[in-house]
Amino acid sequence: MNKEKITFGAQTLEYDSISEGGGLLKISVNDGDMAALETMFSCDQEDLEKITQKSADDQMQRVFKNYDIFRSIQKDKNVVLDEVTEETADIVTVTLQQESAVEIAIRKLQAGQGIQDGAINDLAGIISDMATETL
């Protein structure tokens, strides 16, 4: 049976429930692999800036923007899924926090500054080498 899924970056994850509120996005997977999920969501923040929710038949349902701060992961053991059948599962929930537009702009500006600083250092080295050669 196909499940609903989310995609972000190059990742695709089938999930059992998803909720949004208070600047948090919670994604739960019944009997999920906690270590694998932690690795998946510990990706580059830019990959998490756009999370697309899709139906089981791959139709886009919703887009979550800027939930790019990995906050926590937890496992609830033996949660009852169905009272009648007494079916249980260990539910792994990943919590992401939404980053403000200002925080995103600052992060990208700082990344750009690092590139600029590196270029300035490279240029200084070239000028220094040229000055040494002419002396």
Side-chain angles (χ1 to χ4, degrees):
M1 179 174 117
N2 288 342
K3 293 183 178 182
E4 291 187 347
K5 59 189 130 269
I6 57 169
T7 60
F8 54 95
Q11 305 283 343
T12 299
L13 172 69
E14 290 184 345
Y15 67 90
D16 291 287
S17 70
I18 192 165
S19 63
E20 178 185 35
L24 299 176
L25 181 65
K26 295 187 176 212
I27 303 151
S28 297
V29 179
N30 296 354
D31 294 320
D33 181 333
M34 195 165 177
L37 288 168
E38 184 170 4
T39 299
M40 178 182 276
F41 284 96
S42 295
C43 60
D44 189 323
Q45 273 187 291
E46 288 185 13
D47 287 347
L48 291 170
E49 285 181 4
K50 180 181 175 186
I51 300 171
T52 304
Q53 180 183 7
K54 296 183 176 185
S55 65
D57 61 353
D58 220 28
Q59 298 298 311
M60 187 172 76
Q61 295 179 318
R62 185 163 181 202
V63 174
F64 300 97
K65 292 199 171 202
N66 303 326
Y67 285 95
D68 54 359
I69 300 170
F70 177 68
R71 226 356 113 211
S72 66
I73 187 166
Q74 73 179 42
K75 180 185 269 188
D76 295 314
K77 297 184 82 49
N78 297 318
V79 176
V80 177
L81 301 177
D82 185 332
E83 293 289 336
V84 175
T85 64
E86 297 181 0
E87 177 186 2
T88 64
D90 294 343
I91 300 176
V92 178
T93 302
V94 173
T95 302
L96 303 173
Q97 181 179 336
Q98 191 170 37
E99 188 176 30
S100 73
V102 171
E103 291 169 320
I104 291 169
I106 290 170
R107 177 170 44 87
K108 289 184 176 182
L109 183 63
Q110 288 171 336
Q113 185 64 47
I115 292 168
Q116 187 178 22
D117 290 347
I120 290 169
N121 285 336
D122 290 347
L123 184 57
I126 292 168
I127 292 171
S128 176
D129 291 345
M130 289 173 55
T132 305
E133 289 175 9
T134 59
L135 293 177

